[in-house]
Amino acid sequence: MEPSPHNPKNQTDPVKPIRRLRSPQRLRISPPAARHEKAEATSFLPIPNLLAVHTLDVSSASAMGLKLRRLAASILSPGPASPTSAADAHHAVARATARHPSTAPPSAHHLDALLAFGRGSRLSAAALATALVDRLRAAASGDGDAAVALKCLIALRVLLARGAFILRDQLLAALVRHPASGRNPLALAAFPLGRSSFAAASWVRFSARLLELILLLPDAPANHAAEYLTALPNPHLVAEVAAFAAVVDAVRHAPPPPSSSPQPNALVWEAIRLAEEDRVAAERNIAARVQEMGERLDTLSLADAVELVCVLRRVEESAAAASPPEWKWAALDEGVVCAAWRLRERAEEVVMRRTVEERRVVRRDDGPSASARVLQPVRAGGGDAVRFRSTRWAGTVSAWR
């Protein structure tokens, strides 16, 4: 209201907000009818909106769960890899095992590219294993390409030694039996000569045979070798000695090294270097198992002692074979041979002792059979004796009371 001239107090009243609120632009007060219509329009909105949001949340959660289940199924399924990973694996294998140059081994960066497949998923590792096996089979078919086949075998040997566990697992599954043909891809004893030289083809046969024996070796932990050997039963320990002795014997039958030429065959020499590493590793494992077997020799049974003697004789024979002067890397270490020889002599004594004990157990007397002795009536108060079939008890035992 306007200040009245008869009211001096209203003239001096300093309340200015009242004048500002009178402005229609600042108040913006809607009419009562408009306020009533707006309240009626918004009074029914919360309930349908809440139901829609709840339905949307449930559907999105179920869709997310379905996506997660599909992702887990694609990761854990043993099906083939995706086309992208399979194509990448084939390209990487083709670069690492190229035909030219035919005398050069796979380069370090190409091998690193192959090792990178083991740091991914299981599908990428399976794709690489399949690509390598397919490349090896293609090189061994037809006229045969020794350079490509030998590069594949060298790559397989490096991947088995330095690859991750998931990659080694896929390589073992692919090399034991090829899923397409059901044939062992390492069965290259009759590798065709074709356009390859006889020396390269012979090294392909040797490397395939050596790799096949390496696949049969136990996967013992390097950091806890002593605990691993201590926990092994006697038959398993003898079997591992035989497996490593087979590797040493295979290296002894390696083809002769290539003759000196102005351009040395680096590919063959790389195969020789890997074979020497395998022989040294086999020597180390044989020495550790011979030492462990010497500590538990008295606990061996007759069958285990006989098998141990045969295995140690094989080790001695592989070392006794004469080798040319330039082929000394394939010979077994003299210290390992002497330890195997001493253990063999002790094992033969155990065999003789166990044989005598077994003869005592199985020897039968001329008296009645076991069933007759059991069914024979025994006097309750007498001191009749019952003779046992074994003489270990040094005489007789009194009858049952």
Side-chain angles (χ1 to χ4, degrees), residues 139-282:
S141 62
D143 295 335
D145 195 338
V148 176
L150 192 55
K151 288 181 181 182
C152 290
L153 293 172
I154 290 176
L156 287 171
R157 178 65 187 88
V158 173
L159 294 179
L160 287 173
R162 297 166 46 193
F165 170 78
I166 188 172
L167 181 58
R168 289 186 280 114
D169 182 63
Q170 295 300 320
L171 288 175
L172 287 174
L175 291 175
V176 170
R177 177 181 294 180
H178 193 266
S181 62
R183 186 176 65 89
N184 182 12
L186 296 178
L188 302 177
F191 184 82
L193 295 178
R195 56 181 177 178
S196 306
S197 62
F198 178 78
S202 61
W203 273 98
V204 168
R205 299 167 186 168
F206 164 75
S207 300
R209 174 58 181 164
L210 182 60
L211 187 59
E212 193 174 7
L213 292 175
I214 290 173
L215 294 178
L216 301 177
L217 296 179
D219 193 7
N223 299 331
H224 306 282
E227 292 81 358
Y228 171 79
L229 294 179
T230 305
L232 278 180
N234 292 336
H236 293 184
L237 192 60
V238 175
E240 290 191 2
V241 175
F244 287 108
V247 173
V248 172
D249 187 68
V251 173
R252 184 174 63 89
H253 292 88
S259 58
S260 59
S261 60
Q263 295 181 354
N265 195 335
L267 181 61
V268 175
W269 283 107
E270 178 67 15
I272 293 175
R273 185 186 68 82
L274 293 176
E276 185 176 6
E277 289 183 359
D278 295 334
R279 193 261 308 166
V280 172

Side-chain angles (χ1 to χ4, degrees), residues 19-216:
R19 294 195 185 103
R20 293 195 190 99
L21 292 175
R22 288 183 60 198
S23 176
Q25 290 83 2
R26 295 181 180 272
L27 290 176
R28 295 179 182 177
I29 299 175
S30 58
R35 290 198 302 269
H36 181 69
E37 293 177 358
K38 185 176 181 180
E40 289 180 355
T42 58
S43 60
F44 299 99
L45 287 178
I47 293 178
N49 284 346
L50 288 176
L51 292 176
V53 170
H54 179 69
T55 306
L56 182 61
D57 291 341
V58 172
S59 61
S60 62
S62 61
M64 183 61 69
L66 181 60
K67 289 181 180 179
L68 290 176
R69 287 195 296 270
R70 288 177 178 176
L71 179 61
S74 64
I75 293 175
L76 299 177
S77 64
S82 61
T84 305
S85 60
D88 294 341
H90 279 282
H91 289 323
V93 170
R95 286 191 295 267
T97 60
R99 175 68 180 82
H100 299 285
S102 59
T103 59
S107 58
H109 65 277
H110 285 157
L111 293 177
D112 292 339
L114 297 181
L115 290 170
F117 281 84
R119 294 188 287 269
S121 63
R122 189 180 65 89
L123 296 178
S124 61
L128 179 64
T130 303
L132 267 173
V133 172
D134 291 343
R135 181 74 166 172
L136 180 60
R137 292 182 62 219
S141 62
D143 295 335
D145 195 338
V148 176
L150 192 55
K151 288 181 181 182
C152 290
L153 293 172
I154 290 176
L156 287 171
R157 178 65 187 88
V158 173
L159 294 179
L160 287 173
R162 297 166 46 193
F165 170 78
I166 188 172
L167 181 58
R168 289 186 280 114
D169 182 63
Q170 295 300 320
L171 288 175
L172 287 174
L175 291 175
V176 170
R177 177 181 294 180
H178 193 266
S181 62
R183 186 176 65 89
N184 182 12
L186 296 178
L188 302 177
F191 184 82
L193 295 178
R195 56 181 177 178
S196 306
S197 62
F198 178 78
S202 61
W203 273 98
V204 168
R205 299 167 186 168
F206 164 75
S207 300
R209 174 58 181 164
L210 182 60
L211 187 59
E212 193 174 7
L213 292 175
I214 290 173
L215 294 178
L216 301 177

